[in-house]
Amino acid sequence: MTGVGRDLSVSFRHTIDWSGHSTRPAKADLSRLVLERHYRVLVSRYPVLAVPTGSVGARRKEFDRRIELSTTLAPGAAYRADRTRVAELNQRELERFAARTGRSKALLDRARNVMPAGTPMSWMSGYYMHPQLYVAGGEGARFFDVDGNAYVDMNVADLSATLGYGIPAVEEPMVRQFRNGAHYLLPTEDAVVAAHSLGRLMGLPFWQFTLAASGANTEIMRIARHITGRRKLIVFEGKYHGHIEETLVKFDGERVVPEYQGLSGRRSEDTIILPFNDLDAVAAALESREVALVLTEPALTNCSLVLPDPGYLEGLRRITAETGTMLCIDESHTFSFAYGGLTRLWNLQSDFITLGKGLGSGLAFAAYGMTDTIGDHVEKHLDILHRTPGIGLGGTLYGNALSMACARAVLEHVLTEDAFNRISALGSRMADGIDAISRDLDLPCRAFRIGPRSGLCLTPELPRNYAEARLSMDLDMLDARRVFMANRGYWDCIVSAGPQASFAHAKEDIDGYVDLMHEFMKNIK
Ligand SMILES: Cc1ncc(COP(=O)(O)O)c(C=O)c1O
């Protein structure tokens, strides 16, 4: 997931808290907060616009002027709903949201004494621009907040809950394993069975297990560097591959620099960032034979959605092989798009595959596959404690018995071909519904569609790279839509992703989502 707008949201929530101790901020406060937030968003995008000062009335006027300015900066590039209507709707919905979530607010007050921003992990607050929500439980496709509100979850915890909540097929083996011991720092039979299942499903014979896809990608980089004797890495604009210094980088127009604060900046030198769907750029970068690994998703899923051009991924395989560069297909997200991921669907070839997220049904679990040559290499360069130093792989809880039991059950009982066919049909239904909204409201928009994943593309043509894809990430509109939907029992996708049909969703859940999107778009047109 990318961190678009994360810093803004934190300051927004803090401002809300400063507005008073009541669970419901006064109308004037909310109005001020909405204005302030929009100034910040505008200034972050168009630094020429300074933050205005003055009374609320004067600010409002200035705000309107800037909104007009901002919406005319890139005429026709993408559909932009009326900013004032978006802001006004957002304000109304925030008031309603605050009124429905008093217990969450009380928990936030307690939580902020013990956790920065009141959450155990910064994304849980930084992804959302509304006051914090705390969860009491979940079942199937829904979760419930501590105030008793239910939400049909279209974000499915950024694809880590694609199986749904409280999955019966996983419960029994998990409980059994937990009773027997969650981890022994020794393997169990479940690991053998899960690795065989993954080999059959994904076409790569050897597997290792970690706690998160970040850890899997980190190990893949080390192995690729060790095998090739090269240091550099290629990733593509719009990527997210985890919490890794080398991949938390961006191109600033001249060079690759850290994408966030607090990074050393040293690892950026090892990374080359290129536009997706540009084989010539990759070929040119590989010419010097300094690149150990090309790391890519088969379709970019962390900046709305970018599909590969026909032949692009095959071309990537060809030129990486020709230059002795390793290729990793990161299917942490796309594994949930099709049975066997996009690797199987599109018959892709690679040296490594990364998996994670929903595969562990919400447990901390990820995996990576490798060819037999790489598997042999890893075995020959095992780190033998205090005797022979090998490749730096592993972690205390990696491959633990509990997560292996869970993965085995998920692979055997939940992720069946029939189940994937069912959720793909739901995804098509959602995409058809979104296309119908565009037609009905005469919007120059269309649906993203791939298997169970969809979403509203704000350009008439589908994007081919990050620069085009980000036009569909209208932060203001998506913030307002999230609160609008939450107030009506749906948990919308985060800004970088699209809504996705999970294995727990029913037709009616999808139809309800499309209906709400229709109503929302009508409201802001
Ligand atoms: C494609 C991709 N790879 C890797 C990761 C990192 O996963 P994790 O947060 O489990 O480390 C993500 C997370 O969103 C991802 O989208």
Side-chain angles (χ1 to χ4, degrees):
M1 223 320 304
T2 56
V4 179
R6 211 174 282 160
D7 52 344
L8 295 177
S9 63
V10 171
S11 48
F12 176 48
R13 183 174 2 278
H14 288 191
T15 322
I16 281 188
D17 294 332
W18 296 335
S19 72
H21 297 294
S22 73
T23 53
R24 188 172 176 186
K27 211 168 174 171
D29 279 341
L30 264 170
S31 151
R32 174 176 59 77
L33 296 169
V34 170
L35 288 181
E36 279 181 6
R37 186 183 158 280
H38 280 276
Y39 294 144
R40 284 171 155 276
V41 171
L42 284 178
V43 170
S44 75
R45 285 181 206 161
Y46 311 110
V48 288
L49 308 174
V51 179
T53 51
S55 69
V56 168
R59 284 163 147 211
R60 171 95 225 178
K61 241 173 147 182
E62 180 60 3
F63 170 72
D64 289 343
R65 195 182 70 77
R66 289 177 184 196
I67 292 288
E68 206 188 315
L69 238 179
S70 76
T71 45
T72 52
L73 280 176
Y79 173 67
R80 285 289 174 266
D82 184 291
R83 294 296 93 170
T84 311
R85 295 190 74 167
V86 170
E88 284 171 357
L89 177 76
N90 195 20
Q91 182 184 326
R92 280 198 305 277
E93 295 297 331
L94 279 170
E95 281 174 36
R96 211 168 141 179
F97 186 91
R100 300 166 49 246
T101 55
R103 283 179 186 223
S104 277
K105 171 72 172 72
L107 267 183
L108 174 65
D109 289 344
R110 274 173 60 202
R112 288 191 56 209
N113 294 323
V114 284
M115 293 180 282
T119 56
M121 194 271 272
S122 70
W123 296 2
M124 292 183 189
S125 66
Y127 279 8
Y128 314 117
M129 305 291 264
H130 49 70
Q132 191 65 49
L133 203 66
Y134 290 80
V135 175
E139 188 182 1
R142 285 166 179 70
F143 69 81
F144 315 98
D145 70 16
V146 289
D147 287 276
N149 302 301
Y151 303 89
V152 177
D153 190 353
M154 302 305 292
N155 181 46
V156 285
D158 195 20
L159 304 196
S160 58
T162 43
L163 306 188
Y165 299 109
I167 314 132
V170 183
E171 188 179 332
E172 190 278 326
M174 262 183 70
V175 170
R176 180 166 24 95
Q177 186 62 55
F178 187 74
R179 285 201 182 120
N180 286 335
H183 188 34
Y184 320 100
L185 201 57
L186 284 169
T188 53
E189 185 176 351
D190 289 334
V192 185
V193 176
H196 269 290
S197 299
L198 286 172
R200 275 195 303 276
L201 194 59
M202 308 300 294
L204 285 182
F206 282 89
W207 290 85
Q208 289 286 275
F209 299 94
T210 64
L211 292 182
S214 300
N217 283 332
T218 303
E219 300 209 338
I220 288 168
M221 281 179 214
R222 289 191 188 150
I223 298 170
R225 284 184 170 133
H226 191 256
I227 291 178
T228 60
R230 304 173 183 173
R231 226 185 53 212
K232 288 193 186 287
L233 166 78
I234 289 181
V235 293
F236 297 98
E237 274 176 332
K239 48 78 195 128
Y240 182 73
H241 293 293
H243 225 46
I244 312 164
E245 287 238 351
E246 286 103 319
T247 62
L248 295 177
V249 291
K250 62 180 180 191
F251 185 63
D252 75 353
E254 279 178 26
R255 60 200 180 95
V256 176
V257 295
E259 201 173 10
Y260 300 97
Q261 296 164 13
L263 300 171
S264 77
R266 300 222 155 189
R267 309 306 307 177
S268 324
E269 296 158 12
D270 291 338
T271 309
I272 299 168
I273 305 184
L274 299 175
F276 196 68
N277 274 328
D278 186 344
L279 273 186
D280 291 343
V282 182
L286 292 184
E287 238 168 39
S288 67
R289 307 275 202 277
E290 287 177 317
V291 176
L293 180 75
V294 173
L295 174 59
T296 185
E297 287 188 277
L300 300 184
T301 63
N302 284 295
C303 54
S304 68
L305 182 72
V306 182
L307 297 178
D309 288 347
Y312 172 70
L313 294 170
E314 292 74 7
L316 214 49
R317 170 68 295 188
R318 185 172 35 74
I319 54 181
T320 47
E322 283 168 4
T323 54
T325 314
M326 314 223 100
L327 175 64
C328 174
I329 303 280
D330 184 343
E331 291 242 41
S332 306
H333 274 180
T334 53
F335 181 68
S336 63
F337 288 2
Y339 182 64
L342 296 181
T343 293
R344 187 182 173 102
L345 186 70
W346 294 339
N347 193 23
L348 304 177
Q349 308 294 321
S350 64
D351 299 296
F352 298 97
I353 293 172
T354 313
L355 301 178
K357 303 269 179 140
L359 183 54
S361 65
L363 280 196
F365 178 75
Y368 60 99
M370 64 200 104
T371 62
D372 44 12
T373 323
I374 301 174
D376 283 349
H377 184 93
V378 169
E379 187 165 320
K380 284 196 188 104
H381 295 89
L382 204 62
D383 184 77
I384 301 178
L385 191 62
H386 294 303
R387 291 178 179 84
T388 323
I391 308 175
L393 307 176
T396 313
L397 287 165
Y398 287 17
N400 67 72
L402 183 63
S403 66
M404 296 311 316
C406 178
R408 176 181 178 171
V410 167
L411 285 161
E412 281 181 349
H413 304 301
V414 188
L415 298 182
T416 61
E417 199 158 4
D418 283 351
F420 272 100
N421 289 339
R422 195 184 80 77
I423 63 166
S424 282
L426 292 180
S428 298
R429 190 178 179 95
M430 177 156 48
D432 290 346
I434 291 174
D435 276 338
I437 296 172
S438 295
R439 281 196 302 275
D440 184 54
L441 300 179
D442 202 17
L443 305 175
C445 302
R446 59 187 296 173
F448 290 113
R449 59 171 80 218
I450 184 166
R453 167 86 168 250
S454 186
L456 181 63
C457 173
L458 298 177
T459 52
E461 300 299 325
L462 292 175
R464 289 187 57 246
N465 52 41
Y466 174 61
E468 293 171 10
R470 61 187 293 190
L471 295 172
S472 287
M473 294 162 67
D474 179 347
L475 304 186
D476 303 334
M477 185 188 85
L478 290 169
D479 292 340
R481 194 176 85 187
R482 157 171 299 290
V483 187
F484 178 91
M485 289 213 173
N487 287 337
R488 290 157 182 80
Y490 270 79
W491 194 243
D492 204 359
C493 56
I494 53 176
V495 75
S496 54
Q500 179 151 332
S502 77
F503 292 91
H505 280 113
K507 241 174 21 201
E508 296 69 32
D509 299 324
I510 302 299
D511 293 348
Y513 179 76
V514 170
D515 288 348
L516 273 184
M517 192 188 287
H518 197 170
E519 197 185 327
F520 173 79
M521 294 307 289
K522 237 196 280 184
N523 261 288
I524 57 166
K525 198 181 163 205

